[in-house]
Each structure stands twice: as C-alpha cells, then as structure tokens.
C-alpha cells in the first residue's frame, strides 16, 4: 500500500510519486516512458510531477499519453517557469500546459523557482486560476525559509500547498529549518531527486549495508528514507519498468532506528543553517 501525506486542506495524496524530468526528449523513447508511468499508476504511484520546462513541453505530452483514460486516478503536478510568472504569463503557461496534458485542470501548480516577478503577482495569478477551476492547489519549488516567510506574509499566501525541493541523504540541509517550518504549517515537502540522480548516492556504503538487511537496493533505501517522516512526498523518476517496479516496492521498507543512525553516521544531518541547494 502506498502511504499518503495530507495537504493543508485535508486531502490525502500518494506520498510516493513519479518524476518526469528528461522524459519526452527523445521521441523514440516516449512510448516506453509513458508505459513506465502507467505501470507506476497501477502500483499506486498516482502523483506525477512534470513541468512546462521539461523537454520544452515534451514531458507533459508523455504524461498525457500515460494518463489517457484514467485522469481521475492521478494527481498531476506541473510547474510554471519563473520567466513566465507574471500575471498574464502564468495564465498563458497554465493554458498551454493544460492543452499538452490533455486535462481540464492541474491538481497542483508550482512556481518552478524564485524569479524576477514579485511573488504577490504570481500568487494573485495562481488564485485566479484556482477560482477558474484550472488548478486545484498551488505551491512553489526551490524556495528557502526566507522565501516561504515572504509567501506567508503575502495576501493569499496561506494557500501555498507544498514546496518542492532537493532532498536526499547527501542533500539534507532543509532538515535544519525549512522542513520544521513546513511541518509547523502542515505543509508537505516534495523531495526531488530522491535518488541523487542515480549518481554517487547509490554507491553509498551505508545505504548498501542497510539495504542488505532489508534485501533491498540502495535506491530502495533512499526512497524509504525520503518517506520516513510521513510528511514528505518523494518523486523518483524511472523511465524503465524495472526501475519503476523496484521503486514502487520501496514503500514496504520500514527503516529502523539502527538503520537511520547508520545512515546519519555517513550522510550527516545539518547542525547549522545551510542555503537551499537546487539543480
Ligand atoms: N523542482 C525542481 O527544480 C526539480 C529539479 C530536479 C528534479 N525535479 C523532479 O524530481 C524528479 C526526480 O528527480 P531526478 O529525475 O532529478 O532524479 P532521481 O529521481 O533522483 O534519479 C533519476 C535517475 O535515477 C534512475 N533510477 C530510477 N530508479 C532507479 C533504481 N531503482 N535504481 C537505479 N537507478 C534508478 C533513473 O534512470 P531511468 O530513467 O533510466 O529509469 C534516472 O537516471 C524529476 O524527474 C522531476 O520531476 C524537480
């Protein structure tokens, strides 16, 4: 059973979702990418994260193919790029995303990272889209604590539903203040690149050793770790059925205190404030 997290409004959504960055870049691979997303939906990974920026709209088209005939089962997250985050730009971008996705509404629409437009202007645009039924929730991505404070102080800012940020055992600075800030407001964090983009993290001796005890791979341990607090959504990207199946099975792993301590010993939790890193 895929665990859930609760949005500020009370709605429960899947805690383990699916990323789509780099999907839709190669037309020859699009069918396999859509098949992997469909297999994920079947296994309960019903939250799909995409963005207008990914493959210049190509990833949203792959999502459209994957969710065809099952719109009501999925929770779609997409993002407006900061250069389009003006009042008119947000509306235009949202309409284009809706068209590419082949849907009437986006479940959660995020500002991809802070940009040059005043956040009040972007929030105003998000609120209008919500009133029109084109989006159900809005949120942000790559916002540090100071940015979240600014949102909270802006009219309408109390409706921010999530902050999507880089989070994995080698990038855990947010545990110092951003995570507690969000938890205090019952706002789930969405962890991106939870596998560290399949780089050095998956060769971690600590994740490998913990994995041995659970008969699991380092990738599965990284996913279980990202989900451990019950308030975090994790969106690993898998474009093959094998990776997808492996990732979906990670929801059955319950990390013990000993597992977490062994991971902490190598991938140290922050002791001071660190600026938010982003990809
Ligand atoms: N808001 C932002 O600024 C931002 C930034 C980065 C990412 N994101 C979102 O977060 C999602 C996830 O992040 P990400 O794509 O950067 O990195 P990631 O999910 O940490 O890693 C993806 C890589 O891991 C591989 N992989 C997947 N499952 C695996 C497994 N079980 N074993 C070994 N390798 C595995 C994938 O290969 P295959 O594809 O070949 O399966 C891919 O190369 C993105 O797709 C995107 O939706 C958002």
């Amino acid at each position: 059973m895929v665990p859930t997290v609760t949005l500020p409004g009370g709605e429960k959504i899947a805690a383990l979702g699916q990323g789509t960055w780099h999907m839709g870049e190669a037309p020859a691979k699009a069918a396999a990418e859509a098949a992997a997303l469909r297999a994920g939906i079947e296994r309960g990974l019903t939250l799909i994260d995409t963005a207008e920026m990914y493959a210049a709209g190509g990833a949203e088209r792959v999502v459209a193919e994957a969710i065809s005939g099952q719109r009501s089962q999925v929770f779609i997250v997409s993002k407006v790029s900061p250069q389009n985050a003006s009042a008119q730009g947000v509306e235009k971008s949202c309409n284009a995303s809706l068209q590419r996705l082949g849907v009437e509404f986006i479940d959660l629409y995020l500002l991809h990272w802070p940009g040059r437009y005043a956040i009040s202007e972007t929030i105003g645009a998000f609120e209008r889209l919500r009133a029109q039924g084109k989006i159900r929730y809005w949120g942000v991505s790559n916002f540090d604590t100071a940015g979240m404070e600014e949102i909270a102080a802006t009219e309408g800012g109390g409706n921010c539903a999530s902050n999507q940020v880089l989070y994995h055992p080698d990038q855990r600075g947010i545990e110092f203040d951003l995570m507690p800030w969000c938890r205090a407001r019952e706002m789930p964090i969405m962890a991106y690149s939870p596998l560290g983009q399949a780089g050095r993290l998956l060769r971690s001796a600590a994740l490998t050793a913990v994995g041995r005890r659970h008969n699991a791979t380092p990738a599965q341990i990284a996913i279980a770790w990202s989900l451990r607090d019950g308030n975090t959504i994790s969106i690993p990207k898998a474009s093959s059925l094998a990776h997808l199946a492996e990732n979906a099975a990670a929801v059955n792993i319950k990390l013990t205190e000993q597992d977490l301590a062994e991971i902490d010993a190598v991938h140290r939790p922050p002791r001071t404030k660190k600026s938010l890193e982003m990809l």
Side-chain angles (χ1 to χ4, degrees), residues 29-265:
K29 293 187 183 160
E33 291 162 351
L37 290 174
R38 265 197 302 277
I41 297 167
E42 269 169 38
R43 286 172 166 81
L45 276 54
T46 49
L47 182 150
I48 299 181
D49 177 76
T50 189
E52 66 172 346
M53 188 189 87
Y54 300 163
E60 291 180 324
R61 290 194 191 91
V62 171
V63 173
E65 190 183 331
I67 66 170
S68 167
Q70 45 184 351
R71 171 67 184 99
S72 61
Q73 320 247 27
V74 293
F75 187 94
I76 297 174
V77 183
S78 193
K79 311 184 198 82
V80 58
S81 301
Q83 67 271 22
N84 298 329
S86 64
Q88 285 164 0
V90 170
E91 190 178 357
K92 194 167 161 221
S93 283
C94 183
N95 286 336
S97 286
L98 290 171
Q99 198 158 35
R100 284 189 293 268
L101 288 160
V103 298
E104 286 175 4
F105 61 88
I106 290 166
D107 294 279
L108 174 59
Y109 199 40
L110 308 178
L111 172 58
H112 209 145
W113 64 89
R116 68 176 191 272
Y117 292 104
I119 193 67
S120 55
E121 181 170 351
T122 308
I123 291 175
F126 282 158
E127 286 292 328
R128 279 190 294 282
L129 289 173
R130 226 158 64 87
Q132 292 165 14
K134 291 184 176 177
I135 65 174
R136 295 177 58 226
Y137 301 97
W138 63 263
V140 291
S141 177
N142 298 303
F143 270 63
D144 208 341
T145 318
M148 296 309 290
E149 291 279 9
E150 190 186 348
I151 289 172
T154 301
E155 191 184 340
N159 288 331
C160 181
S162 187
N163 184 10
Q164 182 181 116
V165 288
L166 177 62
Y167 186 54
H168 60 70
D170 279 335
Q171 290 286 355
R172 51 190 299 192
I174 63 167
E175 289 172 23
F176 188 76
D177 61 345
L178 183 59
M179 261 185 152
W181 191 97
C182 291
R183 194 173 300 123
R185 287 153 186 84
E186 300 183 331
M187 181 193 296
I189 287 272
M190 200 179 295
Y192 74 69
S193 307
L195 304 175
Q197 301 201 294
R200 199 175 54 141
L201 180 70
L202 298 191
R203 296 189 292 279
S204 154
L207 297 192
T208 305
V210 170
R212 224 171 270 131
R213 282 203 291 276
H214 291 271
N215 196 18
T217 64
Q220 290 177 311
I221 299 301
I223 291 170
W225 184 88
S226 66
L227 295 173
R228 71 196 183 288
D229 72 352
N231 193 45
T232 302
I233 299 158
S234 182
I235 49 169
K237 173 249 188 184
S239 43
S240 73
L241 290 174
H243 279 165
L244 186 280
E246 192 177 313
N247 298 350
V251 299
N252 299 318
I253 300 170
K254 295 280 165 283
L255 297 177
T256 64
E257 291 298 320
Q258 187 194 342
D259 295 335
L260 295 174
E262 284 182 24
I263 293 170
D264 283 353

